[in-house]
């Protein structure tokens, strides 16, 4: 089918067909863009539309449709409602998560991360010239804030995995992403409030990239967690293969994942219990290919994180100074348009190899239907 500008065409794909997309731009010859195995397009609609980036036309979008007739549980209690009668392992359910969960509190006045990658700092210093002498911290803030909701709001919206990147800055435990974000105390208050209201939900607290943390800082962090959650922290004897019901019936509400050791208490070792690949892809379809390949070969006895986030390049920062182009991480992320469609495609690929999508981390989950997409996958598995 040859689609001309403004033209629409819609029909169901037959199982024996292949979907191969070519593109002709500005009267140039047709060039291959993308081939989709039709077996992985179940529940997906292909839509063509603009993305807002000038380096490449991102017109091929994978879309899931959601409407008011979809019967999903209340986001604040989905574990309680969905799994009260099903003994499903924690590592076999779809869990919404946030990437750099504490970045919502980053401001122009935030302290710099003393362990910011030197290459990243040089990059922002260099491209500040493209932004008409924008102050360094303001430029970093545009590209460092990955979340618009605070911890309590994230959890209330269905998130159950938190990506926590701790530092000790000016005597305070905080999270970072280039600049200092929410304090650990702020995050813990949000978690406590949520769990007091929803005591049978389970939260994964992943201490990630704790650069520069000396043992005294680590012990302080673990002490703060123990003082607030104590016996509610899942011990190492529990595992990702335990069911939600087993955590609930034992009174465990928090799983602490880390590479750290502390005499205060023992959390779960990420080396033994977690697979977490940073895809480092700047384009939507290389990202999707990396996600699906990683899922197909995941280890079923571990928690598995699918990082559904693109990585900005030096060119993206430079183009951000051009009117109409993504000028912040949030506008850059939106050029992927429909992460929920990518999730369905990846879930179809995983299921075809007897695997499941597990933890899905995104930036700004409120901008798409990631919660609904995860719940749809969970309901499909429950019904099967």
């Amino acid at each position: 089918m040859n689609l001309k500008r403004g033209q629409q065409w819609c029909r169901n794909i037959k199982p024996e067909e292949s979907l191969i997309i070519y593109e002709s731009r500005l009267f140039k010859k047709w060039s291959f863009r993308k081939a989709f195995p039709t077996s992985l397009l179940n529940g997906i609609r292909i839509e063509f539309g603009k993305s807002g980036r000038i380096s490449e036309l991102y017109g091929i979008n994978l879309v899931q449709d959601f409407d008011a007739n979809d019967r999903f549980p209340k986001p604040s209690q989905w574990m309680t409602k969905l799994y009260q009668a099903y003994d499903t392992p924690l590592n076999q359910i779809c869990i919404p998560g946030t990437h750099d969960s504490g970045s919502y509190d980053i401001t122009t006045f935030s302290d710099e991360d003393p362990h910011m990658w030197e290459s990243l700092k040089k990059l922002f210093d260099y491209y500040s010239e493209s932004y008409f002498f924008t102050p360094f911290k303001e430029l970093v803030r545009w590209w460092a804030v990955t979340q618009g909701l605070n911890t309590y709001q994230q959890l209330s919206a269905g998130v159950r995995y938190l990506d926590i990147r701790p530092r000790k800055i000016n005597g305070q435990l905080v999270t970072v992403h280039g600049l200092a974000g929410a304090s650990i105390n702020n995050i813990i208050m949000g978690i406590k409030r949520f769990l007091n209201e929803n005591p049978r939900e389970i939260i994964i607290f992943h201490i990630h990239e704790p650069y520069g943390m000396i043992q005294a800082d680590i012990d302080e962090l673990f002490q703060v967690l123990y003082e607030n959650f104590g016996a509610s922290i899942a011990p190492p004897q529990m595992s990702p293969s335990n069911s939600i019901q087993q955590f609930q019936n034992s009174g465990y509400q928090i799983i602490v994942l880390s590479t750290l050791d502390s005499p205060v208490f023992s959390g779960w070792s990420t080396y033994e219990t977690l697979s977490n690949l940073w895809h480092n892809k700047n384009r939507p379809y290389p990202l999707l290919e990396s996600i699906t390949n990683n899922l197909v070969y995941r280890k079923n006895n571990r928690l598995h994180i699918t990082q559904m986030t693109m990585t900005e390049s030096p060119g993206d920062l430079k183009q951000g100074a051009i009117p109409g182009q993504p000028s912040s991480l949030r506008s850059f992320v939106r050029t992927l348009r429909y992460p929920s469609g990518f999730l369905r495609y990846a879930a179809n690929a995983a299921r075809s190899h007897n695997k499941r999508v597990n933890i899905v981390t995104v930036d700004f989950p409120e901008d798409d239907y990631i919660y609904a997409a995860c719940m749809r996958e969970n309901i499909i598995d429950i019904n099967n």
Side-chain angles (χ1 to χ4, degrees), residues 168-345:
K168 186 73 171 291
I169 300 178
N170 294 330
Q172 186 180 23
L173 289 171
V174 298
T175 56
V176 296
H177 189 212
L179 301 174
S183 68
I184 294 297
N185 281 336
N186 183 291
I187 289 172
I188 286 176
M189 284 192 297
I191 294 173
K192 287 187 70 174
R193 178 185 173 190
F194 176 80
L195 289 178
N196 285 338
E197 297 172 0
N198 305 283
R200 291 181 67 79
E201 299 296 296
I202 296 123
I203 295 168
I204 301 170
F205 188 98
H206 183 191
I207 302 170
H208 193 200
E209 298 182 356
Y211 301 138
M213 295 276 284
I214 63 174
Q215 191 61 48
D217 301 334
I218 294 168
D219 293 343
E220 181 182 349
L221 172 60
F222 275 64
Q223 185 64 41
V224 169
L225 289 171
Y226 186 76
E227 288 173 356
N228 283 277
F229 302 111
S232 298
I233 299 172
Q237 291 76 19
M238 299 291 284
S239 81
S241 297
N242 287 119
S243 69
I244 288 179
Q245 283 188 345
Q246 288 173 306
F247 285 94
Q248 292 170 331
N249 294 340
S250 300
Y252 300 133
Q253 299 173 296
I254 296 281
I255 297 168
V256 177
L257 290 171
S258 79
T259 58
L260 308 175
D261 292 312
S262 175
V264 180
F265 72 87
S266 297
W268 288 14
S269 166
T270 56
Y271 298 125
E272 299 173 2
T273 60
L274 181 70
S275 299
N276 182 21
L277 176 66
W278 176 42
H279 299 283
N280 195 23
K281 301 297 182 183
N282 180 253
R283 299 288 184 263
Y285 287 96
L287 173 65
L288 182 62
E289 183 177 355
S290 182
I291 285 172
T292 53
N293 289 341
N294 190 236
L295 274 167
V296 164
Y297 296 105
R298 68 160 289 196
K299 295 181 179 180
N300 273 335
N301 64 331
R302 295 186 176 193
L303 294 169
H304 182 92
I305 296 178
T306 295
Q307 293 196 34
M308 202 163 289
T309 54
M310 292 191 297
T311 304
E312 64 274 21
S313 71
D316 293 313
L317 268 66
K318 188 173 183 179
Q319 287 180 12
I322 302 172
Q325 296 306 303
S327 58
S328 68
L329 185 65
R330 190 167 203 159
S331 56
F332 171 76
V333 165
R334 284 173 174 165
T335 66
L336 201 153
R337 297 199 72 187
Y338 301 107
S340 55
F342 270 42
L343 172 55
R344 183 61 189 272
Y345 185 93

Side-chain angles (χ1 to χ4, degrees), residues 330-331 333-334 337-339 363-370:
R330 190 167 203 159
S331 56
V333 165
R334 284 173 174 165
R337 297 199 72 187
Y338 301 107
D363 298 326
F364 308 105
E366 66 272 23
D367 288 353
D368 190 43
Y369 296 97
I370 287 296

